[in-house]
C-alpha cells in the first residue's frame, strides 16, 4: 500500500523524498537499477520528512517495537523508535549479534541467507513494525516477520521507503500490511 | 604529537544519573566474538527507550549549534546512533561502510586489524571541503576504525570536529588518536 493512496495523496513531502533518491545503474550487477537512499540521508529536510511520515502513522498505534533490518533499516528505524517511545530491535546478518539468538533462513536469487534476532528482545504480544529501506521480492521482510512471530510478537505492519514493482498492487506481504512511501525512480534516457 | 582530549564522567557530574542509567543498560557478553573478549552489547540499551533517548540527547546537547553539517556513522552500529543525532542537529548523515556496499563512486581507506586489514568506504561527493563533521560509533577500542573514518573525511577536505562514542574500552591506545569524546562508560 503506497502512502499516496493512503491519506497522503499530493503530499509534497513524498515528491521531495522521491527526488532525493539516486538511481545507480548496474549495481551490484548488470541490469539492476539500484535505488540509493544515501542521497536522501544527505538531504536533511527530506530525511526528516521520511521519519515524520512514519512517526505520524505509527505514534497512536500502540507500537512497542521497531525492528530494523540490517543495515539500511538501522538508518531509519531508531529515529522512528525514539519519536514514538518504542524499543529498537536490530535484525542482523549471521554472527553479528552477541549472545543467544534465533535465526531464520530465507531465499536469495542464488542461494540462501539468514536473519537473526536476540532471544528475549521482544516479549510475546508486543506490537511491532518492521522497517527496511526497500522491499523487492519481500524475502527479507518475510524472514523478519517469521522471526517476530516465532517469539509471539504481533507484526502490525512492514514499512519501507521504496517499493519495487514486484510489490505494486499488493497491500499485504505474508498477510501483513505493507506501507511504502515511494516507487522506484527511473533514469531518464539510456544508460 | 597528536593531542587527545578525553571527557570522562567527571565532566558530566551533573548528568551522573543519566550516565549511570545508560551504563546500566549496556550488556556484557563474555567470550564474544572469541574467547577472552568481553563484548559490550548496546542492543540492550536500544531496548530501553528512555536510556536510548538520554544517550542521543546527551550527544545532541553537546553538538547542537556548533555548525556541524555532517554526521558520519560507522557501519553498522554507528548507523543506529548517527542518524538520530544528525536529524536533531540539522546535519546530513553519511554512512561509512565496509567494502562494496555503497553503490557508485567511493573512496576507500584501509586500516589494520589485530590480524589482517579491513577497509572503510565513503561516497565521493557526500561531504564537501570545509564541512564540519562528527564521526559516530558505538564503541572505541584501539581507535583504528575511527582513524580510518577521520582520514576519509580529511581526504575530502572536511574538518573532523570530534569523534563521539557511547563506550570506550580501557585499553585504548593513545598514539593515533586525534580528538575523542565519549561518555566515559567503561
Amino acid at each position: 500500500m503506497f502512502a499516496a493512496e493512503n491519506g497522503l495523496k499530493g503530499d509534497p513531502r513524498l515528491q521531495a523524498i522521491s527526488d532525493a533518491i539516486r538511481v545507480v545503474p548496474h549495481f551490484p550487477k548488470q541490469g539492476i537499477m539500484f535505488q540509493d537512499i544515501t542521497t536522501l540521508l544527505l538531504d536533511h529536510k527530506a530525511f526528516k520528512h521520511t521519519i515524520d511520515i512514519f512517526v505520524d502513522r505509527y505514534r497512536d498505534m500502540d507500537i512497542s517495537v521497531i525492528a530494523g533490518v540490517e543495515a539500511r533499516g538501522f538508518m531509519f528505524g531508531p529515529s522512528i523508535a525514539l519519536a514514538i517511545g518504542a524499543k529498537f530491535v536490530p535484525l542482523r546478518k549471521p554472527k553479528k549479534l552477541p549472545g543467544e539468538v534465533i535465526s531464520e533462513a530465507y531465499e536469495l536469487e542464488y542461494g540462501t541467507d539468514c536473519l537473526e534476532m536476540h532471544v528475549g528482545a521482544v516479549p510475546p504480544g508486543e506490537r511491532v513494525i518492521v522497517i527496511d529501506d526497500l522491499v523487492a521480492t519481500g524475502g527479507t521482510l518475510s524472514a523478519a516477520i517469521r522471526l517476530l512471530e516465532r517469539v509471539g510478537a504481533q507484526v502490525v505492519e512492514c514499512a519501507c521507503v521504496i517499493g519495487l514493482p514486484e510489490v505494486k498492487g499488493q497491500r499485504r506481504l505474508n498477510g501483513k500490511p505493507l506501507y511504502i512511501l515511494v516507487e522506484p525512480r527511473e533514469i531518464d534516457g539510456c544508460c | 604529537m597528536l593531542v587527545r582530549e578525553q571527557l570522562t564522567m567527571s565532566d558530566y557530574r551533573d548528568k551522573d544519573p543519566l550516565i549511570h542509567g545508560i551504563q546500566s543498560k549496556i550488556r556484557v557478553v563474555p567470550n564474544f566474538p572469541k574467547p577472552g573478549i568481553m563484548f559490550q552489547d548496546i542492543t540492550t540499551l536500544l531496548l530501553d527507550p528512555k536510556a536510548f533517548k538520554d544517550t542521543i540527547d546527551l550527544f545532541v546537547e553537546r553538538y547542537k549549534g556548533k555548525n556541524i553539517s555532517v554526521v558520519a556513522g560507522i557501519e553498522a552500529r554507528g548507523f543506529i546512533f548517527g542518524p538520530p543525532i544528525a536529524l536533531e542537529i540539522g546535519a546530513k548523515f553519511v554512512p561509512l561502510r565496509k567494502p562494496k556496499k555503497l553503490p557508485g563512486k567511493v573512496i576507500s581507506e584501509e586500516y589494520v586489524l589485530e590480524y589482517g586489514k579491513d577497509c572503510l568506504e565513503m561516497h565521493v561527493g557526500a561531504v564537501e571541503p570545509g564541512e564540519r563533521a562528527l564521526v559516530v560509533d558505538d564503541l572505541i577500542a584501539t581507535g583504528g576504525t575511527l582513524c580510518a573514518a577521520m582520514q576519509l573525511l580529511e581526504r575530502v577536505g572536511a574538518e573532523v570536529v570530534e569523534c563521539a562514542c557511547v563506550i570506550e574500552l580501557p585499553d585504548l591506545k593513545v598514539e593515533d588518536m586525534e580528538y575523542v569524546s565519549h561518555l566515559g562508560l567503561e
Side-chain angles (χ1 to χ4, degrees):
Chain A
M1 176 199 344
F2 281 87
E5 300 151 10
N6 191 250
L8 294 183
K9 188 183 167 83
D11 190 319
R13 294 178 299 175
L14 293 178
Q15 190 61 52
I17 292 166
S18 179
D19 289 346
I21 293 165
R22 172 174 77 150
V23 182
V24 180
H26 310 302
F27 183 89
K29 50 185 211 212
Q30 282 295 114
I32 297 189
M33 304 300 278
F34 190 87
Q35 304 290 314
D36 181 16
I37 49 90
T38 64
T39 42
L40 172 62
L41 308 175
L42 296 180
D43 182 335
H44 176 263
K45 254 203 184 146
F47 184 22
K48 189 169 187 307
H49 288 329
T50 309
I51 300 303
D52 287 348
I53 291 171
F54 287 128
V55 169
D56 288 343
R57 180 172 179 80
Y58 298 123
R59 71 158 34 99
D60 295 321
M61 283 173 72
D62 209 19
I63 305 295
S64 53
V65 176
I66 303 288
V69 179
E70 169 161 21
R72 290 182 288 263
F74 292 5
M75 299 177 194
F76 298 94
S79 300
I80 300 167
L82 285 162
I84 70 172
K87 313 184 213 185
F88 178 73
V89 173
L91 305 180
R92 299 210 65 175
K93 294 286 158 76
K95 297 191 173 61
K96 302 291 184 77
L97 290 170
E100 247 201 298
V101 297
I102 58 168
S103 292
E104 187 70 34
Y106 62 100
E107 288 199 11
L108 298 170
E109 193 182 5
Y110 300 108
T112 55
D113 206 338
C114 204
L115 212 55
E116 294 187 342
M117 180 172 77
H118 266 140
V119 168
V122 183
E126 295 221 352
R127 290 167 57 80
V128 185
I129 303 294
V130 181
I131 179 133
D132 205 355
D133 66 321
L134 179 146
V135 54
T137 62
T140 322
L141 283 180
S142 297
I145 294 167
R146 288 195 299 272
L147 270 175
L148 290 154
E149 292 194 323
R150 276 167 61 187
V151 299
Q154 183 195 354
V155 177
V156 174
E157 193 158 89
C158 293
C160 298
V161 180
I162 307 163
L164 292 202
E166 287 103 309
V167 296
K168 197 174 167 77
Q170 280 182 4
R171 297 170 63 88
R172 293 183 164 258
L173 180 73
N174 285 20
K176 299 300 169 189
L178 193 54
Y179 186 74
I180 301 166
L181 299 192
V182 297
E183 295 187 52
R185 286 197 77 183
E186 283 161 22
I187 288 212
D188 303 314
C190 211
C191 46
Chain B
M1 163 136 172
L2 298 175
V3 174
R4 169 180 169 235
E5 184 176 320
Q6 176 180 318
L7 301 173
T8 62
M9 287 171 72
S10 58
D11 298 302
Y12 285 91
R13 201 160 290 282
D14 59 332
K15 299 185 169 46
D16 270 357
L18 286 180
I19 303 267
H20 281 294
I22 294 164
Q23 187 167 26
S24 69
K25 294 299 171 185
I26 294 166
R27 171 175 78 150
V28 180
V29 180
N31 304 313
F32 182 89
K34 52 184 209 218
I37 297 190
M38 303 298 277
F39 190 88
Q40 304 289 317
D41 180 16
I42 50 90
T43 65
T44 40
L45 172 63
L46 309 176
L47 295 180
D48 183 323
K50 182 189 182 298
F52 183 23
K53 186 173 189 304
D54 288 340
T55 308
I56 300 301
D57 286 348
L58 281 165
F59 285 124
V60 169
E61 198 181 310
R62 180 172 178 79
Y63 299 118
K64 204 166 195 155
K66 299 257 164 82
N67 210 203
I68 290 169
S69 56
V70 176
V71 175
I74 297 179
E75 169 157 21
R77 290 182 288 264
F79 294 177
I80 295 173
F81 296 94
I85 297 168
L87 284 166
E88 279 294 312
I89 69 172
K92 324 181 204 184
F93 178 71
V94 175
L96 304 180
R97 297 210 68 173
K98 295 283 160 77
K100 299 193 172 67
K101 302 289 185 79
L102 291 171
K105 253 180 123 192
V106 297
I107 57 168
S108 292
E109 185 73 26
E110 223 175 48
Y111 60 102
V112 176
L113 296 171
E114 193 181 5
Y115 300 108
K117 295 189 276 206
D118 206 337
C119 201
L120 213 54
E121 294 187 341
M122 180 173 77
H123 265 139
V124 168
V127 178
E128 285 167 41
E131 293 211 66
R132 284 163 59 77
L134 195 63
V135 181
V136 176
D137 206 355
D138 65 324
L139 178 146
I140 173 174
T142 61
T145 325
L146 283 174
C147 282
M150 288 193 284
Q151 285 291 106
L152 278 172
L153 290 157
E154 293 185 341
R155 278 167 59 187
V156 299
E159 179 198 340
V160 179
V161 174
E162 199 155 88
C163 294
C165 302
V166 181
I167 306 164
E168 183 203 33
L169 296 193
D171 59 348
L172 177 71
K173 294 179 177 61
V174 196
E175 306 88 77
D176 297 310
M177 290 314 303
E178 197 158 279
Y179 190 52
V180 177
S181 157
H182 64 100
L183 297 181
L185 308 175
E186 291 174 31

